[in-house]
Amino acid sequence: MTHQHGETGHALHLAGPVAVVACLASAAVALFHLRLLVRAASHRGQWFLPAETGHVAVAAGMAVMFAGPLWMTSSALFAAAYLGLALAVLVLLLVHPVCRIPSLWSSCSMLVVEALAMAYMSGAGGRPVGDLTGWFVVVFAGAGLAAVGGLLVRRVAPAWAGAAPVAPVGTRLVMYAGMMLMLVY
């Protein structure tokens, strides 16, 4: 991460109200996906348990990064946890047949990128890990545009749009906007 922070500060230097709103929005997405995870565990449906678990972990981690203490969010353990999540989801993406469903493939592949971004932003315990910020910003901006574009196409030409995404557009936009806020602020 290219930002410098004092040991007593938060992981991000956002203005109080911005950090609170971003934290609450991320926590709301985590709770939304936790509700889907509980529902998926009790009923068979379109939800894929490992992906929902990953979404809960990333959204909850974002909430912590917006409001948590620097010692936690820039620790090697925090970075390793998200790097491990990214690798686990990548393996699932490559070997699990459910991940071949287009909407789930898209969700799982973005989850890999989100978890990698979380590991990157944690700074691997404060040590530099290279400058991938520009790449992550382009990916999340493109994903946000695709989410909005897909929604518009489904409204205008539903037959042409294909299957609806697994995660609602609102939760995806909160995640991508939050990621971009963390990356560029």
Side-chain angles (χ1 to χ4, degrees), residues 143-145 147-148 168-178:
L145 290 173
V148 171
V169 172
T171 63
R172 291 185 295 152
L173 290 177
V174 167
M175 294 295 289
Y176 304 151

Side-chain angles (χ1 to χ4, degrees), residues 130-152:
D131 191 12
L132 299 174
T133 301
W135 183 83
F136 282 123
V137 167
V138 168
V139 168
F140 292 126
L145 290 173
V148 171
L151 175 67
L152 294 175

Side-chain angles (χ1 to χ4, degrees), residues 22-36:
C23 176
L24 291 175
S26 298
V29 170
L31 290 173
F32 173 81
H33 282 286
L34 182 60
R35 183 179 63 95
L36 293 179

Side-chain angles (χ1 to χ4, degrees), residues 54-136:
H55 288 307
V56 170
V58 170
M62 287 176 63
V64 170
M65 284 190 83
F66 281 117
L70 180 63
W71 65 265
M72 179 191 305
T73 58
S74 66
S75 70
L77 181 59
F78 195 86
Y82 283 97
L83 184 57
L85 176 63
L87 293 174
V89 176
L90 180 61
V91 168
L92 280 173
L93 187 64
L94 296 174
V95 301
H96 201 288
V98 171
C99 288
R100 292 188 193 114
I101 298 169
S103 60
L104 284 171
W105 182 90
S106 146
S107 180
C108 289
S109 61
M110 279 309 297
L111 186 54
V112 171
V113 176
E114 290 167 355
L116 284 173
M118 292 292 290
Y120 168 74
M121 286 184 281
S122 74
R127 293 178 297 279
V129 291
D131 191 12
L132 299 174
T133 301
W135 183 83
F136 282 123

